[in-house]
């Protein structure tokens, strides 16, 4: 499939290598990399290099995240869904939930937005785990976006149609004090 790619695909498997090795989202100085963008040569060098070497050479982006430790998230896209180009990419990704989320100060999404780069944040499952379902959904989503952008050829029409995602205009966390089964009452 990728033998006949149009354009350039830049894939960075791990940006925070220190965090992976030490099982932490923080850098050695206890800063969160995803609150350190765009970075500077005098401060957050890793994010500065990412912005100058990767983002500056990109037209679109997909940032892959997990949920928090011991908290599993349904596969979802967080993005500025008020931007038509970004909404189009988010729908093409094809996960069940799209969340219209404001950018966070110092995030990669904020820095990309300031440069006019449509950016999706895919978030699924939980930190420090490899969940096959979340990984497959992410890989399928990336391929779907690449097809949408014309980077790889579209497959022949599928017999099964994909369903429209649920678009949330806001989100909030509700934490349970214990485990169990949720049953909603109508």
């Amino acid at each position: 499939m990728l033998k006949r790619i149009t354009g350039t695909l830049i894939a960075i498997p791990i940006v925070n290598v220190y965090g992976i090795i030490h099982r932490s989202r923080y850098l050695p100085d206890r800063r969160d990399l995803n609150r350190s963008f765009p970075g500077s040569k005098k401060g957050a060098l890793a994010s500065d290099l990412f912005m100058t070497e990767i983002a500056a050479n990109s037209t679109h982006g997909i940032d892959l995240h997990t949920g928090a430790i011991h908290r599993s998230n349904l596969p979802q896209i967080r993005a500025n869904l008020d931007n038509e180009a970004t909404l189009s990419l988010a729908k093409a990704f094809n996960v069940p939930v799209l969340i219209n989320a404001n950018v966070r100060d110092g995030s990669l999404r904020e820095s990309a937005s300031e440069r006019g780069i449509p950016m999706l944040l895919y978030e699924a499952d939980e930190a420090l785990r490899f969940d096959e379902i979340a990984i497959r959904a992410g890989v399928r989503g990336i391929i779907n976006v690449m097809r949408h952008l014309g980077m790889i050829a579209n497959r022949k029409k599928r017999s099964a149609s994909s369903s429209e995602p649920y678009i949330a205009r806001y989100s909030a966390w509700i934490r349970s004090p214990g485990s169990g089964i949720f049953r909603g009452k109508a």
Side-chain angles (χ1 to χ4, degrees):
M1 171 185 344
L2 295 179
K3 290 179 183 175
R4 295 189 183 147
I5 190 170
T6 299
T8 302
L9 172 66
I10 302 172
I12 312 298
I14 300 170
V15 175
N16 184 0
V17 175
Y18 178 88
I20 291 291
I21 292 169
H22 295 280
R23 300 177 142 216
S24 170
R25 70 180 291 145
Y26 300 104
L27 298 167
D29 61 4
R30 295 295 300 153
R31 282 184 297 164
D32 181 345
L33 177 62
N34 202 35
R35 301 296 179 266
S36 301
F37 285 92
S40 72
K41 290 180 181 17
K42 294 179 182 176
L45 181 60
S47 49
D48 178 61
L49 283 171
F50 190 90
M51 293 308 297
T52 57
E53 301 295 323
I54 307 302
N57 295 302
S58 302
T59 58
H60 299 80
I62 303 173
D63 190 6
L64 308 174
H65 285 236
T66 63
I69 293 175
H70 306 300
R71 294 197 175 117
S72 184
N73 287 6
L74 175 76
Q76 60 191 260
I77 289 290
R78 292 176 177 273
N80 175 6
L81 303 179
D82 294 328
N83 176 290
E84 284 298 319
T86 306
L87 176 61
S88 179
L89 292 178
K91 285 183 172 181
F93 199 96
N94 195 28
V95 289
V97 176
L98 308 179
I99 300 172
N100 190 46
N102 293 329
V103 294
R104 295 206 175 196
D105 290 341
S107 69
L108 174 58
R109 220 163 44 92
E110 177 188 52
S111 290
S113 174
E114 289 171 355
R115 288 163 178 75
I117 302 169
M119 174 71 70
L120 303 179
L121 190 153
Y122 171 69
E123 192 168 313
D125 201 47
E126 68 176 293
L128 306 176
R129 301 274 185 260
F130 290 104
D131 179 87
E132 276 300 311
I133 294 169
I135 292 168
R136 280 191 208 137
V139 169
R140 266 194 316 272
I142 292 166
I143 291 169
N144 290 342
V145 169
M146 290 175 69
R147 281 194 178 105
H148 178 76
L149 294 172
M151 294 178 72
I152 55 178
N154 279 324
R155 288 193 286 179
K156 294 179 182 178
K157 296 229 180 208
R158 291 189 214 168
S159 57
S161 63
S162 61
S163 60
E164 278 292 308
Y166 176 80
I167 297 177
R169 301 310 283 167
Y170 67 93
S171 66
W173 291 101
I174 300 173
R175 307 261 189 235
S176 170
S179 65
I181 297 173
F182 172 77
R183 269 195 275 171
K185 294 182 180 179

